[in-house]
């Protein structure tokens, strides 16, 4: 099956870590934003035997702001997966470090803004 070209384009804008662990499932373009929805892939989980974990839905989505594209803000709507350990019944999830501490900006975007502006804005057209 041929891949949606818009999804392929969105994947080119993501970091390697994001593409490896998250799948682009939807892109929505408005006058002000280019919203990209990502769901964590079910790639298995280190430290667990195959079949020991069963997918158990997603956590509430988090929104991470990234570089603007052609004058549109580009938020990533990230849905982190959760699993249940069938042996213990405990909930299991990965811990992701996707944003700069104290912000909602991706690490790459925050580093760029801090270098360019000397700070990470919390309001205005880039926030």
């Amino acid at each position: 099956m041929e891949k949606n070209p818009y999804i392929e384009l969105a994947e080119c804008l993501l970091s390697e870590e994001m593409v490896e662990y998250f799948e682009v499932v939807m892109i929505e373009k408005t006058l002000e934003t280019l919203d990209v929805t990502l769901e964590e892939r079910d790639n298995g989980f280190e430290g667990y035997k195959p079949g020991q974990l069963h997918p158990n839905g997603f956590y509430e989505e988090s929104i991470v702001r990234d570089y603007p594209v052609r004058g549109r803000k580009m938020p990533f709507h990230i849905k982190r997966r959760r699993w249940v350990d069938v042996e213990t019944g405990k909930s299991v999830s990965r811990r992701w470090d996707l944003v700069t501490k104290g912000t909602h900006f991706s690490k790459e975007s925050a580093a760029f803004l801090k270098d360019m502006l000397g700070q990470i804005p919390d309001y205005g057209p880039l926030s």
Side-chain angles (χ1 to χ4, degrees):
M1 187 164 121
E2 194 171 313
K3 196 176 219 181
N4 179 324
Y6 293 111
I7 288 178
E8 282 194 68
L9 178 61
E11 288 175 349
C12 291
L13 301 172
L14 298 170
S15 68
E16 287 181 32
E17 178 185 41
M18 295 277 276
V19 172
E20 183 177 352
Y21 294 106
F22 293 88
E23 178 180 6
V24 177
V25 294
M26 187 172 70
I27 300 169
E28 184 178 355
K29 182 176 116 178
T30 70
L31 291 174
E32 297 175 356
T33 64
L34 181 62
D35 294 88
V36 178
T37 301
L38 303 139
E39 290 181 355
E40 185 174 357
R41 296 178 190 274
D42 188 6
N43 288 348
F45 209 101
E46 192 173 315
Y48 290 89
K49 299 177 281 191
Q52 186 175 349
L53 297 179
H54 285 288
N56 189 26
F58 294 91
Y59 289 102
E60 187 174 325
E61 77 178 31
S62 299
I63 298 176
V64 176
R65 294 181 278 185
D66 203 61
Y67 298 103
V69 174
R70 297 286 184 195
R72 289 182 171 87
K73 294 178 184 180
M74 189 167 166
F76 296 136
H77 300 261
I78 299 175
K79 296 179 180 180
R80 291 178 39 236
R81 191 176 286 279
R82 62 180 162 216
W83 292 269
V84 170
D85 184 329
V86 295
E87 294 176 6
T88 65
K90 291 185 179 181
S91 184
V92 177
S93 64
R94 286 189 178 89
R95 181 133 174 91
W96 294 104
D97 189 19
L98 300 172
V99 298
T100 298
K101 187 175 180 180
T103 75
H104 290 280
F105 285 99
S106 67
K107 289 179 179 182
E108 295 88 359
S109 184
F112 171 79
L113 291 171
K114 187 164 185 172
D115 187 49
M116 184 177 88
L117 303 174
Q119 65 179 8
I120 302 170
D122 58 356
Y123 66 91
L126 296 175
S127 62

